[in-house]
Amino acid sequence: MKKWLVIVLIIAGIRCDGFSDQVFRTLFIGEGNACYRTFNKTHEFGCQANRENENGLIVRIDKQEDFKNLDSCWNSFYPKYSGKYWALLPVNLIRRDTISQLKSSKCLSGIVLYNSGESIHPGDESTAASHDAECPNAASDYYLQDKNEEYCERKINSRGAITRDGLMKIDWRIQMVFIDNSTDLEIIEKCYSMFNKPKEDGSSGYPYCGMSFRLANMAAGNSEICYRRGKNDAKLFQMNIDSGDAPQLCGAMHSDNIFAFPTPIPTSPTNETIITSKYMMVTARMDSFGMIPEISVGEVSVLTSIISVLAAARSMGTQIEKWQKASNTSNRNVFFAFFNGESLDYIGSGAAAYQMENGKFPQMIRSDRTHIHPIRPNELDYILEVQQIGVAKGRKYYVHVDGERYQQNKTQTDRVIDRIERGLRSHAFDLEKPSGSGDRVPPASWHSFAKADAHVQSVLLAPYGKEYEYQRVNSILDKNEWTEDEREKAIQEIEAVSTAILAAAADYVGVETDEVVAKVDKKLITTIFDCLITSNFWFDCDFMQKLDGGRYHKLFNSYGFNQKSTYISMESHTAFPTVLHWLTIFALGSDKETLNVKSEKSCSHLGQFQAMYTYTWQPNPYTGNFSCLKSAIVKKVMVSPAVDSQTPEEEMNTRYSTWMESVYIIESVNLYLMEDASFEYTMILIAVISALLSIFAVGRCSETTFIVDEGEPAAEGGEPL
């Protein structure tokens, strides 16, 4: 019996999980640093972990020629290895001629993406690296719904798009991780160099450095399934018995949208007759995406255009009384709109148009407050949008209108365009005007409102004609190395576009344009450019640190709260909407009526029963001193009407965005040593032989072998036996 007990104890000491699972380093991966599932109404996209793509040997793809090793599954370097691989891959190698190899590979578990460190300049035309489609937002195009065009008829992004439908619309069989921490990247590279890098003769051998990673999504299918399972009646079947909570599986993408009203919206006591007004909406989108959605700075896709609008708003804010007086006289108003989710079938503008149609924009009517006249779609005369500012070829800009609507109201629209041209020419930029009734509006927020009203006109100002010139719209690589000349030219373009916005808006409202009204603060443009674009993070510059005043806190350990990102997401885990909101308050807020307010508590009390005005305790970005700023700025979380049960089925995926995200569980990256299977067999054999020898040795012993005379130690101590 004792012999068998010894055998059991020895065999139990042999690990049965092999030697390849001995993790020696764990690297934390935050939310947003990896590829996960997204959905539209018909399909699922993105990445999902499974048994086939979690583990692999680490290899490198450093240059174009290395993709031949992917085709051969690195057999010449690792002939004895039959498993899968994790490939270290710089983002700039995601190209048209490589994407198909990554999609079709049967030996990849995943790719570890990282920034190569190579400088990319805004005018670089050598790399087509837009992660968007050839026809961005094609499914939500006004002309497609109006049956004036076929799907993706105008391939405006054909120069830059890596694939026809974009990288966001790929259902990958592999996983992806983005490593932005240089220390973590060095650890992975060192692990590869020590164990996996082939020798000079091309040979290699065990042990190898392996990697494991897992991101598990909670949802699958499409957004319709996702939405249905998210309803309360469906959640009853998913409820946790212990906690009583129903888990969230997925959700619609949503985030803050910002609306600013420098000229007054008509108001009246409740139930009184409302006098209608007319509006020009000045807009720029505030979102972009990348191959891994959150990894998207959006320098040209988003930031330069937003700086143009902010500069115009600041100039307007310094002369606000003139604008308000003119607006009251002409009954015409200008307001600013920063829409979120525009790169994903116009989430923000689609929601705003829907609210306008239902009389809920900018706010719902409340009986206890002054009645703000809701803005209706038929009250919008113009949507003046700016895009991709700072990358013009030469000094030429284009204005895009809908040709048919242009012919209906040619005189007034020509007047607006003429003022834009004057503004541009004051900074030595030219403007190409509309050509005729056949003109079409490129992807823009206007499409959402065009579906709601037959007369609202687009005035889109951009540095491209029939096709995008910039080849990295919506891309991880929309992050540039700006030379001093490139930076100065971009700032000049922003200044010119801001002046054009002011000139058009002033003429529309009826403000007499003089040197003061039309003056744009170039120094402010330069400061914000350096803060939002040149700096590593939003709050790295002195201007933004003072504007922050200790208010910003990294609430989530996500990419968007720790790095620059303009992705909309599902949970608003990004700092950019907060940054833009504070900058908009700085641009249009005033403390003239609140100079006696000396505390945050007193400031917040002022806005408790206000219908339109908000009061914000905010520091001056030049001095850092706090004051109570009064402004008519609304920050609203906008969700696509597609998740509204009353939205007609035929309008899904054509009128309103159906993009959703899965909730996911993200694990850490584990690095471990991989031994040959023969090594494990050898170790098991040694263990068995050791066990047999132990049995043989124990078997030859009797009980007397282990008896110790207790008197011997005492005798050695001098005591008598």
Side-chain angles (χ1 to χ4, degrees):
M1 182 65 183
K2 291 182 179 179
K3 295 179 182 179
W4 287 110
L5 179 61
V6 171
I7 293 173
V8 170
L9 289 174
I10 293 174
I11 294 178
I14 301 175
R15 291 179 62 96
C16 297
D17 56 356
F19 297 89
S20 62
D21 295 330
Q22 308 305 305
V23 175
F24 69 83
R25 196 62 185 260
T26 297
L27 307 177
F28 174 78
I29 303 297
E31 289 185 17
N33 280 75
C35 174
Y36 51 87
R37 270 184 180 158
T38 58
F39 315 96
N40 66 11
K41 186 173 182 288
T42 55
H43 294 84
E44 67 178 14
F45 312 106
C47 308
Q48 163 69 11
N50 56 54
R51 290 185 178 181
E52 300 297 321
N53 64 12
E54 291 182 18
N55 302 285
L57 187 151
I58 298 174
V59 292
R60 296 197 67 142
I61 300 177
D62 293 321
K63 52 188 181 299
Q64 182 72 35
E65 294 74 22
D66 292 341
F67 277 90
K68 64 183 180 182
N69 298 324
L70 172 61
D71 294 335
S72 64
C73 290
W74 289 275
N75 287 333
S76 60
F77 297 114
Y78 313 104
K80 296 182 179 179
Y81 177 73
S82 58
K84 290 194 171 184
Y85 299 88
W86 275 95
L88 278 164
L89 180 68
V91 176
N92 62 334
L93 287 184
I94 303 294
R95 301 175 181 172
R96 290 174 176 172
D97 53 354
T98 62
I99 197 70
S100 60
Q101 293 169 278
L102 294 171
K103 287 171 59 180
S104 61
S105 174
K106 296 181 179 179
C107 58
L108 273 183
S109 283
I111 53 179
V112 179
L113 293 168
Y114 64 94
N115 290 317
S116 66
E118 293 184 10
S119 297
I120 302 178
H121 294 274
D124 187 358
E125 297 182 1
S126 62
T127 304
S130 171
H131 295 182
D132 208 337
E134 290 183 349
C135 304
N137 289 348
S140 298
D141 194 280
Y142 162 73
Y143 301 107
L144 174 67
Q145 180 187 333
D146 207 41
K147 297 181 173 56
N148 287 332
E149 288 185 357
E150 297 296 324
Y151 181 85
C152 196
E153 186 173 317
R154 290 171 292 120
K155 296 177 172 55
I156 195 168
N157 193 30
S158 61
R159 293 183 184 178
I162 293 176
T163 64
R164 176 182 180 270
D165 295 320
L167 302 189
M168 272 281 283
K169 288 188 176 180
I170 294 179
D171 186 11
W172 297 92
R173 69 173 73 183
I174 62 175
Q175 294 195 86
M176 296 180 204
V177 182
F178 180 77
I179 303 293
D180 59 308
N181 185 300
S182 58
T183 302
D184 289 349
L185 182 61
E186 287 174 4
I187 290 171
I188 298 175
E189 290 175 334
K190 187 175 181 180
C191 192
Y192 164 81
S193 299
M194 290 180 63
F195 298 100
N196 301 355
K197 186 176 181 179
K199 300 174 184 178
E200 292 184 1
D201 60 359
S203 64
S204 64
Y206 285 95
Y208 293 128
C209 177
M211 170 178 156
S212 69
F213 173 73
R214 175 179 175 80
L215 186 147
N217 295 281
M218 303 293 289
N222 55 53
S223 59
E224 190 174 21
I225 295 173
C226 169
Y227 175 62
R228 188 170 63 247
R229 290 178 176 174
K231 290 184 177 179
N232 291 330
D233 52 353
K235 286 184 176 181
L236 291 174
F237 299 97
Q238 307 163 7
M239 188 171 292
N240 186 304
I241 296 176
D242 296 325
S243 66
D245 296 329
Q248 183 181 11
L249 304 179
C250 53
M253 296 181 187
H254 60 275
S255 187
D256 292 317
N257 293 248
I258 298 166
F259 306 96
F261 302 88
T263 58
I265 297 177
T267 61
S268 68
T270 307
N271 298 326
E272 284 196 9
T273 303
I274 300 298
I275 301 173
T276 60
S277 185
K278 288 294 185 179
Y279 296 88
M280 171 185 282
M281 179 168 67
V282 180
T283 182
R285 66 182 236 194
M286 55 187 290
D287 71 289
S288 66
F289 62 80
M291 185 177 182
I292 296 177
E294 270 89 342
I295 319 300
S296 50
V297 177
E299 285 188 354
V300 176
S301 302
V302 175
L303 298 179
T304 52
S305 300
I306 279 181
I307 297 171
S308 302
V309 177
L310 284 172
R314 178 61 177 172
S315 296
M316 193 180 294
T318 58
Q319 301 289 319
I320 197 69
E321 293 85 2
K322 290 183 178 180
W323 287 85
Q324 291 177 347
K325 183 179 178 180
S327 177
N328 285 329
T329 302
S330 66
N331 199 30
R332 288 184 173 184
N333 296 277
V334 171
F335 72 94
F336 298 96
F338 298 107
F339 290 120
N340 213 334
E342 294 303 274
S343 60
L344 297 171
D345 290 315
Y346 311 118
I347 295 173
S349 61
Y354 177 79
Q355 290 180 8
M356 285 185 184
E357 288 182 280
N358 289 276
K360 298 177 181 179
F361 185 88
Q363 293 182 350
M364 293 183 64
I365 297 173
R366 292 182 54 171
S367 59
D368 61 335
R369 301 187 183 184
T370 301
H371 184 179
I372 301 172
H373 170 56
I375 301 174
R376 304 281 185 177
N378 63 358
E379 295 175 331
L380 291 175
D381 279 335
Y382 295 101
I383 298 176
L384 173 53
E385 181 170 351
V386 294
Q387 292 183 0
Q388 301 176 30
I389 309 303
V391 291
K393 302 297 181 185
R395 303 184 75 85
K396 186 176 183 180
Y397 267 75
Y398 300 80
V399 64
H400 299 273
V401 301
D402 176 76
E404 292 183 5
R405 300 183 188 207
Y406 172 67
Q407 294 296 333
Q408 295 171 8
N409 193 19
K410 188 175 184 300
T411 301
Q412 184 178 337
T413 303
D414 279 341
R415 184 180 176 93
V416 173
I417 294 172
D418 178 64
R419 297 305 184 272
I420 290 174
E421 184 178 32
R422 290 185 188 183
L424 290 174
R425 284 190 172 177
S426 68
H427 296 276
F429 283 87
D430 295 323
L431 180 70
E432 183 165 313
K433 297 182 179 181
S435 58
S437 60
D439 286 0
R440 296 287 185 264
V441 180
S445 299
W446 171 84
H447 287 264
S448 295
F449 299 94
K451 299 169 190 175
D453 181 74
H455 301 288
V456 60
Q457 177 62 278
S458 164
V459 181
L460 173 59
L461 186 59
Y464 60 80
K466 295 186 179 299
E467 291 183 310
Y468 292 162
E469 298 284 351
Y470 187 65
Q471 297 184 6
R472 283 170 280 125
V473 173
N474 293 335
S475 171
I476 294 178
L477 292 177
D478 188 9
K479 179 175 174 56
N480 297 283
E481 186 73 29
W482 300 80
T483 65
E484 189 57 37
D485 289 343
E486 290 167 342
R487 172 179 171 274
E488 177 58 28
K489 183 173 180 294
I491 290 171
Q492 289 177 10
E493 288 187 43
I494 293 171
E495 184 182 13
V497 169
S498 297
T499 305
I501 292 171
L502 279 175
D507 185 75
Y508 178 78
V509 172
V511 177
E512 251 184 69
T513 53
D514 53 31
E515 292 184 359
V516 177
V517 170
K519 181 68 174 176
V520 175
D521 188 348
K522 184 177 180 180
K523 185 177 180 181
L524 175 64
I525 292 173
T526 302
T527 299
I528 299 180
F529 184 94
D530 290 339
C531 288
L532 298 189
I533 293 178
T534 306
S535 297
N536 290 325
F537 190 56
W538 311 122
F539 298 105
D540 282 354
C541 67
D542 181 70
F543 182 89
M544 290 301 300
Q545 287 173 2
K546 287 179 178 175
L547 182 64
D548 170 19
R551 296 180 295 165
Y552 175 70
H553 302 286
K554 296 180 179 179
L555 301 177
F556 303 95
N557 197 0
S558 64
Y559 185 88
F561 266 94
N562 293 276
Q563 303 292 333
K564 290 199 294 188
S565 174
T566 54
Y567 180 61
I568 180 174
S569 190
M570 179 183 73
E571 299 288 352
S572 301
H573 286 184
T574 173
F576 185 63
T578 300
V579 171
L580 183 54
H581 185 221
W582 290 349
L583 285 170
T584 309
I585 293 172
F586 158 72
L588 291 168
S590 172
D591 62 358
K592 289 182 180 180
E593 300 177 18
T594 58
L595 291 174
N596 62 330
V597 179
K598 303 300 181 182
S599 70
E600 182 178 4
K601 185 176 181 180
S602 299
C603 185
S604 63
H605 284 168
L606 293 176
Q608 284 185 343
F609 299 102
Q610 290 288 333
M612 192 67 204
Y613 289 105
T614 59
Y615 293 82
T616 308
W617 188 249
Q618 178 166 297
N620 185 304
Y622 295 115
T623 65
N625 297 326
F626 279 84
S627 62
C628 187
L629 298 177
K630 176 186 177 182
S631 63
I633 296 173
V634 179
K635 185 172 74 167
K636 300 181 70 173
V637 174
M638 309 286 270
V639 181
S640 172
V643 299
D644 190 323
S645 58
Q646 297 180 355
T647 302
E649 176 71 19
E650 62 271 13
E651 293 184 353
M652 300 278 280
N653 250 46
T654 56
R655 184 167 182 185
Y656 300 118
S657 173
T658 57
W659 281 94
M660 292 188 175
E661 281 183 1
S662 173
V663 173
Y664 58 85
I665 299 172
I666 187 170
E667 299 181 4
S668 297
V669 163
N670 289 317
L671 303 180
Y672 57 88
L673 288 182
M674 307 171 68
E675 292 287 0
D676 188 5
S678 61
F679 174 79
E680 297 189 1
Y681 298 146
T682 301
M683 295 302 295
I684 293 174
L685 179 61
I686 292 173
V688 171
I689 293 174
S690 298
L692 293 175
L693 290 175
S694 299
I695 294 170
F696 177 75
V698 172
R700 296 190 60 190
C701 298
S702 63
E703 291 185 7
T704 58
T705 305
F706 301 100
I707 296 177
V708 179
D709 189 341
E710 295 179 358
E712 290 181 5
E716 291 177 359
E719 297 182 11
L721 295 173

